[in-house]
């Protein structure tokens, strides 16, 4: 007598679980652990592995992404943690109890077992997952197989045969074309489908003669899908109907077929698979190997029409998981660390804005209990991670802003002093090199250390006008090259190698403006677009100014992506140097207006801080 | 003398007296030391339904328990048994507990139930709400069967809340210490109650809530 009536009574009223039978409900109840979380405490952390489905029994909690944006607020009966569980990837959101909460943690293996046994339960969670992927804010949306149109999955024209043909002819055609299903037509119209399984079940098993016509054994009017539907809908349709092939039509006309195996092929291109693969590696060599797939993945993201923001997020996600796994490998090699620490990404990785090829910029923040003797451990750890990143293609920082540099491997107190110095006794020269430190983000280890540091930066910077003024002055080092166009127009041909560094002259000026405006607004947000939006909300920058800068950034990043994509396809190492030949007159015109916008915003920034 | 050493001495003495293997095993499998972190210990939250209120005379009608491990209530360990009464006729309580005579007749013997309890308690800590009744009854049954009382460390959630209240000088606080009222105080959901396994889980949830509400890290000695 080990029934758990209280638990099953609660479960059976939840969506999804209501489809389970008594035995399955009881199995679910017995596979649960119950945890209690005081208001304010963290239930799940970003980057951790998740092997359970979490059900809020009572209380309330909030899911927030790495940016701190609210993803979802959960109330009694809500489930969370299913995306990471179903995709077997590290957690992407942190969840914090906002009231005292009682949470049921359902064992992941039993959850999968229930999905296998109960189709309705399975379908409910697949749909929930799709909804979550599609409703994700644009900033975090990843382009992959599930977001593409079905038509993009079709690899060949349909293999079809007339309904009057014999079974043997149909089978021959299937062998010749190497397909496991054949479409059957009746004149111009598509009337059915026959599969390997049909031949086995309806022909061989029944001993039908091989000259029977194919239309006698085909499935009539099979389920089909429109070419413009999304690929995930095709996957869902096949799963729900337990079929392996799905004819694709456009305006009623047959244009091809997709099968479950098409999905398997395309799914391995999903960025989450690479993240997952990296997280499984136990050696640096393994990670280097997995990273070799990155260029092809970037190319596929671009062809799926990812914009600069999405692509930056995507590439940074991969870099983060490489970094995290290298830290884990280092810890496995060196033993557990002598005190807590945070591995911090700076610059573009910190901002989630990496491009196809970015350098590494990083640092280590140690707990204040770290002694001089402990530094040996962290030096070794930094070497392993810095070398590993370099070997994976994230080349060493030319300015030596890396954790292996003892200057950037310090306890929290020292970091606070660094920032306090930069902010309260600012020097133009020192600040020029320090600006990427203001784009700090914890990638691995104790997030709390970095949060404490950020809070002290936020309060220091907001009040300090001199510091902000010098930052603004420094930002002028990156000027949009309006002269580029004049020169370009003059030099129609010739040997002159007139290339444009689109990062230095196009993207960095916007990044700088956003960083300073956000610091002035006391904002801790870190991506350039979010900084601009947040600064606009507080009135630190005008709404139209912020919106135009975001548009300009979108446009310039798009140019960079297309440029790097051409290089990737040509097997070259991507860079930031655009040559004039790549720009059509329309693009030149648009780029010129984007640059003018940046110039106007720079002047406004100088005025704001009274810098001549 | 500390709780730990005192308990060890009593266990050693009892072990020398008893001839029962199961009972010896309980005494040999040493319980977690008082300095063990709560999250590292295994605790058995247990509840008994009885035929009355006097531990000296009542019989067990049913018994249920669930383990706390890693600071979480682990429902895969939930277990309960209906017990055939030894002596007394069924009084009013069956109506409360929902156990009819015929269900009770199909139950395990008190001896078999006690054997299983000893097995589960080996190397673990016992948790009950109001030890005055349940622990005393277990002691009595244990003495009848094995010659000595049940030597295991005990956490009493009711006594624990009582101490917490007096420590914080909540003199004006006349809140009831009944399980449902305490659960309410810790923002735990309402439970139907009155079946032993449900009450055991209820007690387990209360204990993890109490531990989570403490300001500092908790060891077992903070809870005895």
């Amino acid at each position: 007598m080990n029934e758990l009536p209280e638990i099953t009574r609660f479960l059976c009223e939840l969506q999804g679980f209501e489809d389970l039978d008594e035995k399955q409900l009881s199995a679910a109840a017995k596979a649960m652990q119950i945890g209690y979380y005081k208001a304010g405490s963290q239930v799940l952390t970003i980057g951790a592995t998740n092997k359970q489905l979490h059900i809020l029994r009572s209380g309330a909690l909030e899911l927030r992404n790495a940016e701190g944006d609210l993803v979802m607020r959960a109330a009694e009966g809500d489930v969370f943690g299913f995306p990471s569980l179903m995709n077997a990837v590290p957690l992407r959101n942190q969840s914090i109890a906002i009231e005292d909460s009682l949470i049921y943690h359902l064992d992941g293996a039993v959850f999968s077992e229930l999905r296998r046994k109960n189709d309705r339960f399975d379908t409910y969670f697949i749909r929930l997952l799709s909804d979550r992927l599609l409703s994700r804010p644009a900033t975090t949306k990843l382009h992959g197989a599930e977001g593409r149109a079905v038509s993009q999955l079709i690899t060949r024209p349909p293999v079809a045969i007339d309904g009057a043909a014999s079974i043997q002819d149909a089978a021959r055609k299937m062998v010749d074309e190497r397909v496991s299903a054949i479409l059957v037509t009746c004149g111009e119209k598509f009337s059915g489908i026959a599969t390997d399984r049909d031949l086995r079940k309806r022909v061989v098993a029944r001993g039908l003669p091989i000259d029977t016509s194919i239309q006698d054994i085909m499935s009539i009017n099979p389920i089909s899908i429109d070419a413009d539907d999304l690929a995930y809908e095709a996957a869902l349709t096949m799963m729900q109907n337990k079929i392996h092939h799905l004819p694709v039509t456009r305006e009623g006309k047959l244009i091809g077929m997709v099968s479950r195996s098409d999905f398997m092929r395309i799914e391995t291109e999903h960025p989450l698979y690479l993240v997952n693969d990296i997280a499984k590696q136990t050696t640096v060599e393994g990670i280097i190997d997995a990273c070799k797939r990155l260029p092809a993945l970037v190319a596929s993201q671009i062809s799926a029409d990812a914009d600069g923001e999405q692509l930056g997020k995507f590439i940074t996600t991969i870099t983060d998981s490489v970094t995290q796994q290298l830290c884990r490998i280092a810890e496995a090699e060196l033993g557990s660390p002598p005190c807590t620490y945070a591995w911090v990404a700076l610059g573009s990785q910190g901002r989630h804005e990496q491009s196809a090829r970015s350098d590494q910029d990083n640092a280590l923040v140690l707990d204040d209990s770290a002694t001089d003797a402990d530094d040996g451990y962290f030096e070794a750890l930094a070497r392993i991670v810095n070398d590993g990143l370099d070997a994976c293609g994230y080349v060493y920082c030319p300015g030596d802003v890396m954790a292996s540099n003892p200057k950037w491997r310090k306890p929290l107190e020292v970091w606070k002093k660094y920032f306090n110095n930069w902010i309260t006794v600012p020097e133009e020269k020192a600040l020029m090199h320090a600006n990427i430190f203001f784009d700090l983000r914890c990638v691995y280890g104790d997030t709390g250390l970095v949060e404490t540091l950020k809070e002290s930066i936020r309060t220091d910077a907001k009040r300090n006008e001199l510091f902000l003024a010098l930052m603004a002055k420094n930002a002028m080092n990156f000027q949009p090259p309006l002269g580029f166009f004049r020169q370009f127009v003059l030099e129609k041909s010739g040997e002159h190698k007139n290339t444009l560094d689109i990062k230095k002259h196009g993207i960095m000026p916007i990044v700088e403006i956003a960083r300073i405006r956000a610091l002035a607004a006391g904002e801790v947000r870190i991506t350039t677009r979010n900084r601009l939006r947040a600064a606009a909300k507080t009135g630190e920058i005008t709404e139209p100014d912020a919106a135009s800068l975001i548009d300009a950034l979108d446009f310039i990043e798009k140019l960079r992506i297309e440029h790097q994509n051409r290089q990737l396809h040509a097997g070259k190492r991507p860079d930031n140097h655009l040559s004039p030949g790549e720009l059509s007159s329309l693009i030149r015109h648009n780029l010129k207006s984007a640059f003018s916008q940046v110039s106007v915003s720079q002047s406004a920034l100088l005025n704001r801080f009274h810098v001549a | 003398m500390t709780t730990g050493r005192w308990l060890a001495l009593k266990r050693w003495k009892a072990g020398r007296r008893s001839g029962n293997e199961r009972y010896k095993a309980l005494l040999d499998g040493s319980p977690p030391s008082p300095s063990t972190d709560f999250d590292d210990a295994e605790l058995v939250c247990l509840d008994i339904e009885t035929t009355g209120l006097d531990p000296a005379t009542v019989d067990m009608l049913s018994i249920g328990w669930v383990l706390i491990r890693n600071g979480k209530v682990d429902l895969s360990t939930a277990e309960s048994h209906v017990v055939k009464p030894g002596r007394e006729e069924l009084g009013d309580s069956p109506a409360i507990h929902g156990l009819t005579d015929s269900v009770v007749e199909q139950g395990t013997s008190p001896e078999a139930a006690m054997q299983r309890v000893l097995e589960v308690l080996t190397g673990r800590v016992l948790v009950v709400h109001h030890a005055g009744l349940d622990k005393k009854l277990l002691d009595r049954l244990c003495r009848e069967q094995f010659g000595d009382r049940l030597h295991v460390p005990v956490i009493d959630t009711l006594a624990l809340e009582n101490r917490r209240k007096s420590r914080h000088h909540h003199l004006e606080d006349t809140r009831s210490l009944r399980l449902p009222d305490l659960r309410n105080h810790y923002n735990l959901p309402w439970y139907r109650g009155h079946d032993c396994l449900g009450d055991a889980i209820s007690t387990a949830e209360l204990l993890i809530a109490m531990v989570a509400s403490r300001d500092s890290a908790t060891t077992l000695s903070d809870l005895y």
Side-chain angles (χ1 to χ4, degrees), chain A residues 414-435:
Chain A
V414 178
W415 278 108
K416 280 188 183 163
K417 271 183 210 133
Y418 281 169
F419 278 99
N420 189 265
N421 246 332
W422 285 327
I423 295 168
T424 56
V425 272
E427 271 176 74
E428 211 173 320
K429 201 74 183 252
L431 274 186
M432 206 185 304
H433 301 291
N435 55 9

Side-chain angles (χ1 to χ4, degrees), chain A residues 465-476:
Chain A
E465 294 281 321
L466 176 60
F467 157 74
L468 293 168
L470 285 177
M471 289 279 279
K473 198 171 167 206
N474 272 336
M476 292 303 127

Side-chain angles (χ1 to χ4, degrees), chain B residues 188-210:
Chain B
L188 287 165
W190 181 80
Y191 261 61
R192 192 168 298 240
H194 281 303
D195 85 87
C196 60
L197 187 51
D199 281 353
I201 294 170
S202 207
T203 305
E205 289 177 353
L206 176 63
L207 182 62
I208 59 172
M210 290 167 92

Side-chain angles (χ1 to χ4, degrees), chain B residues 20-221:
Chain B
N20 181 283
E21 286 303 313
R22 195 53 261 165
Y23 188 65
K24 272 189 176 150
L26 169 81
L27 300 168
D28 290 344
S30 44
S33 94
S35 62
T36 309
D37 281 342
F38 180 75
D39 284 356
D40 294 335
E42 297 202 344
L43 305 95
V44 181
C45 304
L46 178 145
D47 186 72
I48 306 173
E49 304 300 341
T50 60
T51 50
L53 290 171
D54 178 7
T57 58
V58 292
D59 274 323
M60 203 159 39
L61 279 173
S62 66
I63 182 165
W65 60 80
V66 69
L67 262 58
I68 296 178
R69 325 193 233 225
N70 304 316
K72 306 245 161 36
V73 185
D74 186 346
L75 293 181
S76 70
T77 63
E79 188 173 327
S80 67
H81 300 273
V82 174
V83 182
K84 274 190 270 189
R87 286 185 308 235
E88 254 178 70
E89 288 305 307
L90 297 182
D92 291 338
S93 41
I96 307 176
H97 307 318
L99 294 170
T100 61
D101 287 5
S102 62
V103 172
V104 175
E105 279 311 308
Q106 289 161 8
T108 30
S109 68
E111 289 76 23
M114 276 312 288
Q115 293 266 357
R116 181 77 188 114
V117 169
L118 291 193
E119 216 170 285
V120 169
L121 278 173
T122 303
R124 298 185 173 128
V125 177
L126 174 65
V127 180
V128 285
H129 191 71
H130 191 21
L133 184 56
D134 289 359
K135 175 63 170 47
K136 280 206 175 113
L137 174 57
L138 288 175
D139 276 340
R140 198 198 88 211
L141 294 172
C142 207
R143 199 176 290 116
E144 285 170 7
Q145 205 172 331
F146 308 112
D148 201 343
R149 61 187 204 85
L150 184 65
H151 291 291
V152 287
V154 183
I155 293 171
D156 181 350
T157 44
L158 185 144
L160 197 59
E161 182 65 11
N162 224 348
R163 280 207 303 282
R164 194 190 69 82
K165 266 171 67 176
S166 56
R167 208 173 26 248
H168 292 277
H169 308 293
H170 290 170
L171 293 175
E172 75 291 355
D173 189 352
T174 52
R175 200 173 60 235
S176 147
L177 292 175
R178 286 175 54 243
L179 190 50
D181 298 323
L182 280 184
R183 285 179 60 87
N184 195 21
H185 171 69
Y186 285 98
N187 296 321
L188 287 165
W190 181 80
Y191 261 61
R192 192 168 298 240
H194 281 303
D195 85 87
C196 60
L197 187 51
D199 281 353
I201 294 170
S202 207
T203 305
E205 289 177 353
L206 176 63
L207 182 62
I208 59 172
M210 290 167 92
V211 168
S213 303
R214 290 171 50 90
D215 297 331
S216 50
T218 303
T219 63
L220 291 178
S221 62

Side-chain angles (χ1 to χ4, degrees), chain A residues 186-212:
Chain A
C186 175
E188 283 291 289
K189 287 171 73 185
F190 144 66
S191 59
I193 185 171
T195 67
D196 274 349
R197 213 172 119 183
D198 295 332
L199 293 175
R200 195 170 69 235
K201 276 175 65 180
R202 297 177 189 166
V203 180
V204 183
R206 289 186 199 162
L208 288 187
I210 53 172
D211 56 358
T212 313

Side-chain angles (χ1 to χ4, degrees), chain A residues 1-4 6-7 9 29-30 32-38 57-58 100 102 104-105, chain B residues 72-73 75-76 78-80 82 186-189 191-193 197 201 205 208-209 212-213:
Chain A
M1 191 183 95
N2 304 321
E3 293 311 312
L4 300 161
E6 292 279 0
I7 315 282
R9 204 170 310 148
K30 280 174 196 160
M32 292 201 300
Q33 296 188 328
I34 308 175
Y36 179 89
Y37 303 85
K38 282 299 280 182
R57 172 65 183 88
S58 66
D100 294 346
L102 194 68
Y104 289 170
H105 307 284
Chain B
K72 306 245 161 36
V73 185
L75 293 181
S76 70
E79 188 173 327
S80 67
V82 174
Y186 285 98
N187 296 321
L188 287 165
Y191 261 61
R192 192 168 298 240
L197 187 51
I201 294 170
E205 289 177 353
I208 59 172
S213 303

